[in-house]
Amino acid sequence: MFKVYFATSNKGKFLEVKRLAEAFSLQVEQAPIKGVEIQHESLAEIASQAVRQAYRKLKAPVMVEDAGLFIEALNGFPGPYSSYVYRKLGVQGILKLMEGERNRRAWFLSALAFKAPKMKVKVFLGRVDGEIVLQARGRKGFGFDPIFQPEGEKRTFAEMEPEEKNRFSHRGKALAELAEWLKKRGYI
Ligand code: ITT
């Protein structure tokens, strides 16, 4: 099986990716070595810089993901600052910011950057649209999962099993794109 390191400190992300990757004949190993993350409005740029740093250390196929929750009524906030906002305000903080707001539209974006020997960094994007619910529901998943309900669903991500979430999540889509690309090039 083709082995790729996943440089992340987020266990939730790692478990989702590992589970899904197996279905694509990809063996994923966590490398908790993410360097300094740059501040940038573009998730793709953040992930690209981070994967370059990780590759310099590992010298082996590696991926880094940068993801975020974008809320329309808040002009895309917290977006690239999702990790920081989650730590400082949490799920309840976002619900508070959204109090009385009728436009609940939101989306998750994932930028998955991959680097292997003798190739340039490649970035794969994934997006899932949905809404911010009125009250947190569910205990599965991580981060903002309890307040995000994907379009056409009656459950939040935190009320779904990881397999279900992976089927249409931003991360699942980006990883599927990477797997297709690896397949075309004969890696897997
Ligand atoms: P690494 O950078 O070490 O991978 P991180 O948690 O800092 O871990 P990000 O910079 O990509 O990861 O931050 C994204 C934040 O957005 C994350 O901490 C969550 O709060 C939120 N987030 C991203 N994807 C999510 C998902 O699928 N479900 C719920 N929240 C998510």
Side-chain angles (χ1 to χ4, degrees), residues 52-154:
R52 262 182 220 111
Q53 285 187 42
Y55 181 79
R56 253 178 253 132
K57 289 190 192 140
L58 292 165
K59 303 268 191 294
V62 56
M63 59 188 178
V64 170
E65 191 224 26
D66 202 59
L69 174 66
F70 295 74
I71 301 176
E72 191 170 270
L74 305 178
N75 299 319
F77 181 85
Y81 310 107
S82 293
S83 173
Y84 180 77
V85 170
Y86 178 74
R87 277 184 276 120
K88 297 291 175 188
L89 302 181
V91 157
Q92 292 308 325
I94 293 291
L95 287 179
K96 198 146 194 202
L97 286 174
M98 290 294 284
E99 252 169 32
E101 181 56 61
R102 290 178 64 177
N103 175 8
R104 315 290 301 184
R105 264 198 292 269
W107 58 95
F108 272 118
L109 283 183
S110 162
L112 187 64
F114 173 77
K115 169 96 181 88
K118 299 188 191 112
M119 63 158 282
K120 283 191 193 152
V121 171
K122 195 78 194 133
V123 183
F124 303 89
L125 303 173
R127 170 176 174 151
V128 57
D129 286 276
E131 62 179 82
I132 302 298
V133 294
L134 295 170
Q135 278 180 353
R137 298 196 316 261
R139 291 173 166 275
K140 299 181 186 106
F142 67 96
F144 296 114
D145 280 342
I147 54 168
F148 184 84
Q149 184 166 282
E151 244 168 30
E153 279 288 323
K154 296 244 171 316

Side-chain angles (χ1 to χ4, degrees), residues 8-10 13 34 66-67 83 142 144-145 165 170-171:
T8 178
S9 58
N10 184 322
K13 269 186 178 183
K34 220 169 127 185
D66 202 59
S83 173
F142 67 96
F144 296 114
D145 280 342
K165 178 183 168 187
H170 49 313
R171 185 164 301 106

